[in-house]
Amino acid sequence: MNESIRLDSLGTLSDNRLVRQIESLRGKERKVLAGILRHLVEIERRRLYLPRGYSSLFEFCTQHLKYSRSAAGRRIAAARSLAKFPVLERHLLNGEVNLYALSLVSGILTEDNIEQVISGIRNRSTREVEVLVARHRPGRIVRDRIRTVCVMEPEPRKKERDGDDASAAGSTSTWNAGGSNGAGRAGSTPGAGSEKFPNPVFEGSGGNTLERVKISRKYKLEFAVDPEFMRKFERTKTLLSNRCPGGIGFEELFMLLMDEYIDRHSPEGRAARREKRQVRKSHQDRDSTKENGSGNARPVSGGEGKIRSRNIPQRVRDEVFLRDGGKCTFIGSDGRKCESSWNLQIDHIVPFARGGDNSPGNLRLLCGKHNRLEADRVFGSPHMERFRKKE
Ligand SMILES: [Zn+2]
């Protein structure tokens, strides 16, 4: 019986017809899903997301194909399961195994356990599949997880502030958190994740300010830790007890630790310290000049006769990082800029091996994947593969 599917006036269909139709649509959905997974396998094999300006398949799925983060993650993991064991597709098509199960088992599948895993996930509940995966991967029972939580609060009554009565023109306006949640701290990396984790916004109908509310986006983090972590956690809290005698919450503690790390290790932090050192030194020089009565200036090192070095001075690296906004500058074939801030590397635009120098004008930031893509393009991938194997 091959009835055509009617999507208009569902209300007039008989109960049986309605149920038959949704069963038929579900079958089609599985076929489409299998098709999507096959496409993802092939796109990943050819790494087609890279020349289009995406640094990963995940980014391609969320930004180009508009999947949510969890939907993309599941499809990619499931596609990798199918890539390893195409036999799984049959079980997906006949409905014995669903997308979530396929994504869960992606990390545990091996030649040795494939038969056992298939029988362990066919027609099983999600819980049963999770237990099976946990048994194969002890220690990974709790996965790291970030969840978004929205907190809505009425807009604070600050209408009188600066005569801000024309704000009703737009229905949404950016709310610059003045440090209450640390968003404006000095140590924050330029642009890093600002779209990924946006600041709160005010939303409302616009005309009536009473209807406007602040939508605060909060994040719930979940991860399992070892006793060693807890010992260090307690030790840090003790060390901080002078600064925070009333105790310290998780958010405040992590913010403090991250600020310290960013301040110590980020290009901006280093640049600020360098500047401070220079100011201090120039004061000292001035003072000693006064004391000695004459300018006993030391000759500046560098200049002519320099040996060509592949090493880019940290000062130049930081300058390039700040200039490029801490993001990959790769531009894809259709004009998309990558902007990944993950695993950034400094790339010579004219390669060093072809005489390119270490001046900022010849340097740019690329993410690790686009740096490889560029190296493959310039030197050819067989050459680069040999080079990488030696590393
Ligand atoms: Zn990139």
Side-chain angles (χ1 to χ4, degrees):
M1 190 167 34
N2 200 1
E3 291 174 278
S4 64
I5 288 181
R6 281 180 53 197
L7 292 175
D8 56 325
S9 57
L10 289 184
T12 63
L13 293 184
S14 71
D15 295 354
N16 281 339
R17 175 85 193 266
L18 197 62
V19 171
R20 276 204 306 277
Q21 277 204 178
I22 200 166
E23 287 166 352
S24 162
L25 283 171
R26 180 74 178 102
K28 286 184 182 161
E29 190 182 23
R30 283 193 199 103
K31 269 191 202 152
V32 171
L33 176 62
I36 295 233
L37 298 183
R38 279 194 190 197
H39 277 71
L40 291 180
V41 170
E42 189 56 20
I43 285 172
E44 180 156 59
R45 193 184 69 76
R46 296 192 209 174
R47 298 194 298 162
L48 286 186
Y49 47 88
L50 286 178
R52 277 160 184 75
Y54 300 94
S55 67
S56 65
L57 182 60
F58 180 77
E59 228 179 52
F60 178 79
C61 286
T62 49
Q63 293 179 28
H64 191 71
L65 302 180
K66 310 289 179 202
Y67 280 117
S68 71
R69 293 168 64 82
S70 56
R74 251 174 236 156
R75 278 158 185 78
I76 292 169
R80 287 175 183 159
S81 294
L82 289 195
K84 275 195 243 169
F85 297 102
V87 60
L88 287 164
E89 190 186 74
R90 183 158 45 90
H91 302 289
L92 176 71
L93 285 171
N94 65 22
E96 290 172 342
V97 168
N98 63 27
L99 174 68
Y100 184 57
L102 273 188
S103 70
L104 277 185
V105 297
S106 142
I108 62 163
L109 285 172
T110 62
E111 292 284 352
D112 295 334
N113 69 15
I114 176 72
E115 293 303 324
Q116 189 198 354
V117 170
I118 288 179
S119 70
I121 61 174
R122 275 174 67 194
N123 299 315
R124 299 299 174 102
S125 69
T126 298
R127 182 82 198 117
E128 286 172 309
V129 177
E130 283 172 345
V131 169
L132 174 101
V133 173
R135 218 178 289 133
H136 278 80
R137 247 191 185 179
R140 286 292 306 273
I141 295 162
V142 181
R143 289 190 305 151
D144 293 355
R145 206 177 258 184
I146 301 178
R147 266 183 281 185
T148 312
V149 206
C150 280
V151 184
M152 294 206 230
E153 299 159 40
E155 181 181 12
R157 288 177 173 276
K158 284 189 179 168
K159 201 165 176 293
E160 64 278 8
R161 182 191 54 198
D162 302 324
D164 181 26
D165 54 349
S167 62
S171 60
T172 302
S173 62
T174 306
W175 185 71
N176 288 314
S180 65
N181 62 357
R185 278 167 197 250
S188 58
T189 313
S194 54
E195 341 46 37
K196 207 160 144 195
F197 302 112
N199 279 336
V201 293
F202 284 120
E203 285 186 359
S205 60
N208 182 353
T209 48
L210 287 177
E211 291 172 27
R212 282 155 61 93
V213 289
K214 184 177 88 184
I215 316 246
S216 289
R217 206 181 269 248
K218 291 267 185 181
Y219 301 90
K220 264 179 99 168
L221 309 186
E222 196 179 297
F223 54 100
V225 299
D226 285 333
E228 175 67 6
F229 180 100
M230 290 314 294
R231 283 192 285 274
K232 287 186 182 170
F233 177 68
E234 289 303 325
R235 171 95 177 109
T236 314
K237 279 207 303 191
T238 316
L239 287 171
L240 278 167
S241 55
N242 287 342
R243 242 156 108 177
C244 316
I248 185 166
F250 279 130
E251 184 180 4
E252 212 183 332
L253 173 64
F254 280 103
M255 199 63 99
L256 225 144
L257 297 177
M258 290 185 293
D259 278 347
E260 280 194 15
Y261 188 88
I262 291 169
D263 188 47
R264 176 148 292 278
H265 297 286
S266 69
E268 311 88 284
R270 277 196 299 266
R273 276 199 301 281
R274 215 173 279 131
E275 206 172 302
K276 258 191 211 160
R277 270 201 306 273
Q278 247 156 18
V279 170
R280 214 181 304 135
K281 192 170 173 298
S282 68
H283 282 310
Q284 281 168 356
D285 286 353
R286 211 177 45 206
D287 293 348
S288 68
T289 308
K290 271 187 204 158
E291 279 168 24
N292 297 337
S294 68
N296 196 11
R298 258 174 284 156
V300 181
S301 62
E304 73 290 335
K306 263 191 190 168
I307 298 163
R308 210 163 161 262
S309 164
R310 188 175 270 280
N311 290 335
I312 305 163
Q314 190 64 55
R315 183 182 44 78
V316 177
R317 303 178 80 89
D318 290 349
E319 187 182 332
V320 173
F321 184 96
L322 294 174
R323 182 199 64 202
D324 292 347
K327 291 175 176 182
C328 174
T329 58
F330 183 87
I331 294 177
S333 49
D334 46 8
R336 185 185 186 278
K337 202 172 163 209
C338 170
E339 300 202 328
S340 168
S341 51
W342 192 251
N343 187 19
L344 290 173
Q345 299 170 358
I346 305 261
D347 173 55
H348 287 85
I349 298 168
V350 176
F352 186 82
R354 299 195 179 162
D357 64 10
N358 285 339
S359 65
N362 188 44
L363 301 172
R364 61 176 169 176
L365 278 186
L366 288 182
C367 68
K369 292 197 178 159
H370 280 126
N371 202 7
R372 280 176 84 115
L373 184 78
E374 278 296 277
D376 287 349
R377 188 180 63 78
V378 175
F379 297 108
S381 49
H383 171 80
M384 288 312 294
E385 281 312 314
R386 274 201 306 279
F387 181 69
R388 281 170 195 136
K389 271 184 196 140
K390 273 193 223 159
E391 282 180 330

